[in-house]
Amino acid sequence: MQQTYSQFHHEAAPRIFSPELPISSYLGRVMVGIPTILLVKFCSKSLAKWTLPMVSNALGIPIRSSMYIPKLKGYASGKKTDEPKNSVGYLQKLCEFLSHDSFDIDTGIRFFQYAGLAWSVVDLVPSLFSYVNL
């Protein structure tokens, strides 16, 4: 972020819809930026879906997936109940978290997906703008 912040956030940076940034440059940024962001999001999600289960299995962490990996759906004995849970304290929640039979890998996949998305928005796309003179 430090690399691109100084390039695009200063007083001399062109403002959107001003004479310094014509509509053609704006449209060029949209045509380069949005597909790049979507590509990084898709690739980081695919990479996470491929690597996180392998790492979890190598470390001996039992996992399940409720959405992203159909092969892991209900793989470990996750207990599902329709009963509402009572309000519990922080220490009780921590003990409950550590005593799970398996962990949902979807949270880790989302983490890597959104970390890749944030990196592309903050660093990659502005660097591409500089590279193609937009």
Side-chain angles (χ1 to χ4, degrees):
M1 184 169 138
Q2 296 298 325
Q3 176 186 359
T4 58
Y5 185 82
S6 61
Q7 292 174 348
F8 292 98
H9 296 88
H10 53 81
E11 292 302 320
R15 305 287 183 234
I16 295 176
F17 304 126
S18 68
E20 296 94 28
L21 185 65
I23 196 85
S24 60
S25 293
Y26 175 75
L27 291 176
R29 286 184 177 194
V30 169
M31 298 303 280
V32 169
I34 292 177
T36 302
I37 291 167
L38 293 175
L39 181 69
V40 169
K41 182 178 182 270
F42 173 76
C43 290
S44 62
K45 180 179 177 180
S46 297
L47 187 63
K49 285 170 64 173
W50 179 62
T51 58
L52 284 179
M54 288 191 318
V55 170
S56 297
N57 288 334
L59 295 174
I61 301 170
I63 57 171
R64 69 183 185 285
S65 176
S66 57
M67 191 167 88
Y68 288 121
I69 306 172
K71 291 180 183 178
L72 294 176
K73 194 169 199 163
Y75 179 73
S77 60
K79 299 173 184 170
K80 293 185 178 180
T81 60
D82 292 333
E83 300 172 12
K85 291 187 175 184
N86 293 335
S87 178
V88 294
Y90 176 75
L91 188 58
Q92 289 172 333
K93 285 182 184 180
L94 181 62
C95 290
E96 182 181 311
F97 174 76
L98 294 175
S99 67
H100 277 285
D101 292 335
S102 63
F103 295 95
D104 195 356
I105 196 76
D106 295 347
T107 304
I109 293 170
R110 283 187 201 103
F111 173 78
F112 281 103
Q113 178 182 354
Y114 291 121
L117 181 67
W119 169 75
S120 68
V121 168
V122 170
D123 198 35
L124 179 64
V125 170
S127 297
L128 286 175
F129 292 163
S130 294
Y131 183 73
V132 295
N133 294 325
L134 286 175

